[in-house]
Amino acid sequence: MNSDLQKRMFADLEDKRALGRAVDLAYRYIDETPGRRAFPDNGALTTANESSSTLPERGADAAEIIEQLSSQFSNACVNAIGGRYFGFVTGGVLPVTLAARWLTDVWDQNAPLFRTSPAAAIAEEKCEAWLKDLLGLPEETVAGFVSGSSLAIYSGLAAARWRLLEREGWDLNAKGLAGAPRLRVVAGRQAHGTVVKAVTLLGLGTDNIEWVDVDECGRIKADEVPDLDDKTILLLQAGNVNGGAFDDFGALCAKAKDAGSWTHVDGAFGLWAAATKNYAHLTAGMEDAASWSCDAHKTLNTPYDCGIVFCRDSEAIQSALHQGGSYLETGAGRDGMYMTPELSRRARAFDVWAALAYLGREGVDALVSLLCARTMQFAEEISAAGFELAAPPSFNQLMFACDSDEETQRVLRAVQEGGEAWAAGADWFGRRIIRISVCSWATTEEDVTRSVNAFVAARRSK
Ligand SMILES: *Cc1c(COP(=O)(O)O)cnc(C)c1O
């Protein structure tokens, strides 16, 4: 006998009312995108906040729940699928990847092992091969599909730590870090917070970071990098989170490799430059690094969450992230869990596969180039309007400011509250700046001009 709960759920699958309602509401959300504020107003946040904080004793009809979900929360969303949300580095979503996500969510695949999902394992294999080719990474490179760059960086550095200690004759997995040979960490002062977090999570210690000064764009000063050796992890970045600048891989990666150091490249959004004709020079030389990380949910515009770690030393990453368990039937095909810290994982390679298959090599170039072109348009229009660029714009990132920090902050807040566009602020060499990340395929020339106009109007209004 099926329980009442089972009966309800079999009926949900049979009549598909909730699924149908979700599709209708999703279509409505899409159609309302042009008129939606970039960031919700207070009224919408109040509605979301006023939803009950008490867990209901009894549930409700599935279609009704979908209705409630939409009415209580959809208006409190940032307009990430619109063209004028420039906060952080928040990628948009390609329609094809959204459709892929809907379809494959129905499959509900768990991706750790070939045995948990042959489909996911094979999709990961295909994506790994495509991405290595697209980004020009060495043939021996393996890829792990994780939630984002935070975990991708962690995974790359875990592999680095394992390998450098193994070369010293230290079995890290067995002995731990206590008493281990000391590893050095060299990083530019503009290393991303998630890189620093990975250093702390891995017990390498921020006090051990040898910080290297950066130039006015945030690039590590290559001639100030200390002597490297075979106990050193060198942390470089392809794309500064504020200004978009790329470190000089040509000057550093091969040198580090010759010294026996391990270089990790944080390329959360910038690694994709390697897939273009016009921006590939920014990543020249990075193929001599040992590991790399990037996000598909940023520049490639797949849904969240979707990051990728690449590692040329497959033994190191698999040893660092190894896990056992007699119930885990391994070896039947690709077992992706050996390249990721998690066991259970959503099968995000399907999203990547759909994006790459849809765009093709040309389309990836066109998408990345589009983001860069809109950024340059933004830079030209905003500086023509009298705002000062804090550094030359690079790739898809732009920083500008008003005459004083107070004025910059006031204008930023006014634009954020106005709803026409949304950007975040940051501190740049002691100065308050407004940062723009053009990271969605949906940003049009008109969106850029409208956003620039919003900043101009905010500056005029006092
Ligand atoms: C976004 C970003 C990260 C962190 O990526 P998540 O996907 O948010 O974990 C790391 N480095 C840079 C340069 C970034 O832009």
Side-chain angles (χ1 to χ4, degrees):
M1 265 289 276
N2 290 336
S3 74
D4 287 347
L5 181 60
Q6 272 182 310
K7 282 184 200 151
R8 268 171 75 195
M9 293 193 285
F10 279 123
D12 289 339
L13 281 188
E14 175 89 23
D15 69 30
K16 302 184 181 57
R17 276 188 312 117
L19 291 165
R21 199 63 199 123
V23 169
D24 291 344
L25 290 166
Y27 289 171
R28 196 171 84 196
Y29 186 89
I30 289 170
D31 292 342
E32 287 172 0
T33 296
R36 184 178 304 113
R37 290 169 52 96
F39 191 91
D41 61 16
N42 287 334
L45 300 186
T46 306
T47 309
N49 273 320
E50 279 172 353
S51 61
S52 176
S53 300
T54 312
L55 178 67
E57 210 51 50
R58 298 180 61 108
D61 173 68
E64 167 59 23
I65 295 302
I66 294 303
E67 203 71 54
Q68 285 179 21
L69 185 65
S70 173
S71 63
Q72 289 177 21
F73 298 107
S74 69
N75 291 330
C77 287
V78 301
N79 199 358
I81 65 169
R84 294 189 303 282
Y85 184 84
F86 303 106
F88 313 102
V89 190
T90 304
V93 62
L94 305 176
V96 70
T97 59
L98 190 54
R101 182 78 192 264
W102 284 7
L103 174 64
T104 58
D105 271 355
V106 172
W107 301 347
D108 192 28
Q109 298 295 284
N110 188 9
L113 302 167
F114 182 85
R115 285 292 187 220
T116 57
S117 176
I122 294 166
E124 286 191 356
E125 252 165 19
K126 303 294 175 195
C127 288
E128 180 183 275
W130 284 358
L131 287 165
K132 278 184 338 189
D133 177 28
L134 190 65
L135 301 172
L137 299 177
E139 185 48 40
E140 66 271 24
T141 303
V142 294
F145 294 83
V146 293
S147 58
S149 282
S150 300
L151 269 199
I153 294 163
Y154 172 88
S155 303
L157 299 199
R161 184 181 67 165
W162 185 90
R163 175 57 80 198
L164 296 188
L165 289 176
E166 185 271 341
R167 283 207 220 119
E168 296 293 311
W170 186 266
D171 181 350
L172 173 72
N173 290 357
K175 295 189 162 133
L177 270 185
R182 202 170 80 81
L183 297 181
R184 296 171 58 204
V185 179
V186 174
R189 292 200 183 275
Q190 279 284 326
H192 193 268
T194 54
V195 172
V196 178
K197 188 201 278 195
V199 167
T200 62
L201 285 174
L202 290 164
L204 297 169
T206 51
D207 282 357
N208 290 313
I209 299 180
E210 298 169 42
W211 294 105
V212 184
D213 279 341
V214 293
D215 68 14
E216 67 286 357
C217 295
R219 283 180 297 242
I220 197 167
K221 287 186 176 163
D223 52 1
E224 292 189 12
V225 170
D227 280 343
L228 301 170
D229 59 24
D230 58 2
K231 284 188 223 161
T232 306
I233 301 173
L234 173 64
L235 300 170
L236 299 180
Q237 64 183 352
N240 176 284
V241 75
N242 289 320
F246 288 61
D247 286 334
D248 186 349
F249 304 118
L252 290 168
C253 291
K255 196 170 131 193
K257 191 176 168 197
D258 291 345
S261 302
W262 182 294
T263 303
H264 179 87
V265 177
D266 166 17
F269 59 90
L271 208 68
W272 300 98
T276 66
K277 287 191 193 70
N278 292 335
Y279 303 91
H281 66 275
L282 294 170
T283 56
M286 74 153 187
E287 61 281 359
D288 284 319
S291 55
W292 308 259
S293 47
C294 75
D295 281 322
H297 60 222
K298 288 180 178 167
T299 316
L300 193 63
N301 281 211
T302 69
Y304 284 91
D305 47 17
C306 197
I308 308 156
V309 57
F310 298 98
C311 184
R312 77 185 315 151
D313 183 339
S314 97
E315 186 193 33
I317 192 165
Q318 300 201 28
S319 302
L321 303 176
H322 191 85
Q323 185 218 307
S326 63
Y327 71 103
L328 299 171
E329 194 184 308
T330 60
R334 177 190 161 98
D335 296 318
M337 72 172 205
Y338 291 127
M339 274 78 79
T340 63
E342 310 102 316
L343 179 58
S344 294
R345 263 180 319 126
R346 84 178 183 88
R348 46 180 73 88
F350 293 137
D351 308 355
V352 178
W353 186 91
L356 295 177
Y358 173 79
L359 293 168
R361 197 186 299 274
E362 280 181 17
V364 174
D365 189 339
L367 172 63
V368 177
S369 302
L370 166 77
L371 305 179
C372 298
R374 294 282 183 268
T375 307
M376 293 307 144
Q377 181 201 341
F378 210 124
E380 279 162 25
E381 293 185 14
I382 204 83
S383 55
F387 289 86
E388 190 197 338
L389 301 184
S394 174
F395 203 58
N396 68 325
Q397 303 287 119
L398 166 68
M399 306 181 290
F400 60 90
C402 302
D403 293 338
S404 69
D405 285 355
E406 295 68 37
E407 180 68 352
T408 301
Q409 192 59 21
R410 185 189 69 78
V411 168
L412 176 62
R413 281 282 176 261
V415 169
Q416 288 178 340
E417 281 159 22
E420 175 82 340
W422 203 90
D427 295 323
W428 186 254
F429 293 100
R431 182 180 188 196
R432 198 66 192 153
I433 53 117
I434 296 166
R435 55 187 292 296
I436 295 288
S437 173
V438 182
C439 207
S440 171
W441 68 268
T443 298
T444 62
E445 286 184 356
E446 193 201 341
D447 284 322
V448 170
T449 302
R450 279 179 63 173
S451 304
V452 169
N453 290 343
F455 281 103
V456 172
R459 194 183 46 186
R460 284 212 191 102
S461 71
K462 271 243 166 93

Coordinates of all heavy atoms in Angstrom, one line a residue, residues 13 19 99-111 116-124 345-351 353-354:
L13 N 3.6 13.8 -10.1 CA 4.3 13.4 -11.4 C 3.3 13.1 -12.5 O 3.6 13.4 -13.7 CB 5.2 12.2 -11.1 CG 6.5 12.4 -10.4 CD1 7.3 11.1 -10.4 CD2 7.3 13.6 -11.0
L19 N 4.7 21.1 -12.1 CA 5.7 21.4 -13.1 C 5.2 22.4 -14.2 O 5.9 23.3 -14.6 CB 6.1 20.0 -13.8 CG 6.9 19.1 -12.9 CD1 6.9 17.7 -13.5 CD2 8.3 19.5 -12.7
A99 N 17.7 25.6 -20.4 CA 16.9 24.5 -20.9 C 17.6 23.1 -20.5 O 16.9 22.2 -20.1 CB 16.7 24.5 -22.4
A100 N 18.9 23.1 -20.7 CA 19.6 21.9 -20.3 C 19.5 21.6 -18.8 O 19.3 20.5 -18.4 CB 21.1 22.1 -20.7
R101 N 19.5 22.7 -18.0 CA 19.4 22.5 -16.6 C 18.0 21.9 -16.2 O 17.9 21.1 -15.4 CB 19.6 23.8 -15.9 CG 19.6 23.8 -14.4 CD 20.9 23.3 -13.8 NE 20.7 23.0 -12.4 CZ 21.1 23.8 -11.5 NH1 21.7 25.0 -11.7 NH2 20.9 23.5 -10.2
W102 N 17.0 22.4 -16.9 CA 15.6 21.9 -16.6 C 15.5 20.5 -16.9 O 15.1 19.6 -16.1 CB 14.6 22.7 -17.5 CG 14.3 24.1 -17.0 CD1 14.9 24.8 -16.0 CD2 13.2 24.9 -17.5 NE1 14.3 26.0 -15.9 CE2 13.3 26.1 -16.8 CE3 12.3 24.8 -18.5 CZ2 12.5 27.2 -17.0 CZ3 11.5 25.9 -18.8 CH2 11.5 27.1 -18.0
L103 N 16.0 20.1 -18.1 CA 15.9 18.7 -18.6 C 16.7 17.8 -17.6 O 16.2 16.8 -17.1 CB 16.5 18.6 -20.0 CG 16.6 17.2 -20.5 CD1 15.2 16.5 -20.6 CD2 17.2 17.1 -21.9
T104 N 18.0 18.2 -17.4 CA 18.8 17.3 -16.6 C 18.5 17.3 -15.1 O 18.8 16.3 -14.4 CB 20.3 17.6 -16.9 OG1 20.6 19.0 -16.5 CG2 20.7 17.5 -18.3
D105 N 17.8 18.3 -14.6 CA 17.4 18.3 -13.2 C 16.3 17.2 -13.1 O 16.2 16.5 -12.0 CB 16.8 19.6 -12.8 CG 17.8 20.6 -12.2 OD1 19.0 20.1 -12.1 OD2 17.5 21.7 -11.9
V106 N 15.6 16.9 -14.1 CA 14.6 15.8 -14.1 C 15.3 14.5 -14.0 O 14.8 13.6 -13.3 CB 13.7 15.9 -15.3 CG1 12.8 14.6 -15.4 CG2 12.9 17.1 -15.4
W107 N 16.5 14.4 -14.6 CA 17.3 13.2 -14.5 C 17.8 12.9 -13.1 O 18.1 11.8 -12.7 CB 18.4 13.2 -15.5 CG 18.0 13.3 -16.9 CD1 16.8 13.3 -17.5 CD2 18.9 13.6 -18.0 NE1 16.8 13.5 -18.8 CE2 18.1 13.7 -19.2 CE3 20.3 13.8 -18.1 CZ2 18.7 14.0 -20.4 CZ3 20.8 14.1 -19.4 CH2 20.0 14.2 -20.5
D108 N 18.1 14.0 -12.3 CA 18.5 13.9 -10.9 C 19.8 13.0 -10.8 O 19.8 12.1 -9.9 CB 17.4 13.4 -10.0 CG 17.7 13.6 -8.6 OD1 18.5 14.5 -8.2 OD2 17.2 12.8 -7.7
Q109 N 20.8 13.3 -11.6 CA 22.0 12.5 -11.6 C 23.0 12.9 -10.5 O 23.1 14.1 -10.3 CB 22.7 12.5 -12.9 CG 21.8 11.9 -14.0 CD 21.5 10.4 -13.9 OE1 22.4 9.6 -14.1 NE2 20.3 10.1 -13.4
N110 N 23.6 12.0 -9.8 CA 24.6 12.2 -8.9 C 26.0 11.9 -9.6 O 26.1 10.8 -10.1 CB 24.4 11.4 -7.6 CG 25.3 11.7 -6.5 OD1 26.1 12.7 -6.6 ND2 25.3 10.9 -5.4
A111 N 26.9 12.8 -9.5 CA 28.1 12.7 -10.4 C 29.4 12.1 -9.9 O 30.4 12.2 -10.6 CB 28.4 14.0 -11.0
T116 N 27.4 5.9 -10.4 CA 26.3 6.7 -10.0 C 25.6 7.4 -11.1 O 24.5 7.7 -11.1 CB 26.6 7.7 -8.9 OG1 27.7 8.6 -9.4 CG2 27.2 7.1 -7.6
S117 N 26.4 7.6 -12.2 CA 25.8 8.2 -13.4 C 26.8 8.1 -14.6 O 27.7 8.9 -14.7 CB 25.5 9.7 -13.2 OG 25.0 10.2 -14.4
P118 N 26.6 7.1 -15.4 CA 27.5 7.0 -16.6 C 27.3 8.2 -17.5 O 28.3 8.7 -18.0 CB 26.9 5.7 -17.3 CG 26.2 5.0 -16.3 CD 25.7 5.9 -15.2
A119 N 26.1 8.7 -17.5 CA 25.8 9.9 -18.4 C 26.7 11.1 -17.9 O 27.3 11.8 -18.7 CB 24.3 10.3 -18.3
A120 N 26.7 11.3 -16.6 CA 27.4 12.5 -16.1 C 28.9 12.2 -16.3 O 29.7 13.2 -16.6 CB 27.1 12.7 -14.6
A121 N 29.4 11.0 -16.1 CA 30.8 10.7 -16.2 C 31.2 10.9 -17.7 O 32.3 11.5 -17.9 CB 31.1 9.2 -15.8
I122 N 30.4 10.5 -18.6 CA 30.8 10.6 -20.0 C 30.7 12.1 -20.4 O 31.6 12.6 -21.1 CB 29.9 9.8 -20.9 CG1 30.2 8.3 -20.6 CG2 30.1 10.0 -22.4 CD1 29.1 7.3 -21.1
A123 N 29.7 12.9 -19.9 CA 29.7 14.3 -20.2 C 30.9 15.0 -19.6 O 31.5 15.9 -20.3 CB 28.4 14.9 -19.6
E124 N 31.3 14.6 -18.4 CA 32.6 15.2 -17.9 C 33.8 15.0 -18.8 O 34.6 15.9 -19.0 CB 32.8 14.7 -16.5 CG 31.9 15.3 -15.4 CD 32.3 15.0 -14.0 OE1 33.3 14.3 -13.8 OE2 31.6 15.5 -13.1
R345 N 27.5 15.1 -5.9 CA 27.7 16.4 -6.7 C 26.6 16.4 -7.7 O 26.3 15.4 -8.3 CB 29.0 16.4 -7.4 CG 30.1 17.1 -6.8 CD 31.3 17.0 -7.7 NE 31.6 15.8 -8.3 CZ 31.8 15.6 -9.6 NH1 31.8 16.6 -10.4 NH2 32.0 14.4 -10.1
R346 N 26.1 17.6 -8.0 CA 25.1 17.6 -9.1 C 25.9 17.5 -10.4 O 27.1 17.8 -10.5 CB 24.3 18.9 -9.1 CG 25.0 20.1 -9.7 CD 24.0 21.3 -9.6 NE 24.6 22.5 -10.3 CZ 24.5 22.7 -11.6 NH1 23.8 21.9 -12.4 NH2 25.1 23.8 -12.1
A347 N 25.3 17.0 -11.5 CA 26.0 16.7 -12.7 C 26.1 18.0 -13.6 O 25.5 18.1 -14.6 CB 25.2 15.6 -13.5
R348 N 26.9 18.9 -13.1 CA 27.0 20.2 -13.8 C 27.7 20.2 -15.1 O 27.6 21.1 -15.9 CB 27.6 21.2 -12.8 CG 28.9 20.8 -12.2 CD 29.5 21.8 -11.3 NE 28.7 22.1 -10.0 CZ 28.9 21.4 -8.9 NH1 29.8 20.4 -8.9 NH2 28.3 21.7 -7.8
A349 N 28.3 19.1 -15.5 CA 29.0 19.0 -16.8 C 27.9 19.0 -17.9 O 28.2 19.5 -19.0 CB 29.8 17.7 -16.9
F350 N 26.7 18.7 -17.6 CA 25.6 18.8 -18.6 C 25.5 20.2 -19.1 O 25.3 20.5 -20.2 CB 24.3 18.3 -18.1 CG 24.3 16.8 -17.8 CD1 23.7 16.3 -16.7 CD2 24.8 15.9 -18.7 CE1 23.6 14.9 -16.4 CE2 24.8 14.5 -18.5 CZ 24.2 14.0 -17.3
D351 N 25.5 21.2 -18.1 CA 25.4 22.6 -18.4 C 26.5 23.0 -19.3 O 26.3 23.8 -20.3 CB 25.4 23.5 -17.2 CG 24.4 23.0 -16.1 OD1 23.6 22.1 -16.3 OD2 24.4 23.6 -15.0
W353 N 28.5 21.2 -21.1 CA 28.4 20.5 -22.4 C 27.4 21.3 -23.3 O 27.7 21.6 -24.5 CB 27.9 19.1 -22.3 CG 27.9 18.3 -23.5 CD1 28.9 17.5 -24.0 CD2 26.8 18.2 -24.5 NE1 28.6 17.0 -25.2 CE2 27.3 17.4 -25.6 CE3 25.6 18.8 -24.6 CZ2 26.5 17.1 -26.7 CZ3 24.8 18.5 -25.7 CH2 25.3 17.7 -26.7
A354 N 26.2 21.7 -22.8 CA 25.2 22.4 -23.6 C 25.7 23.7 -24.0 O 25.5 24.1 -25.2 CB 23.9 22.5 -22.8

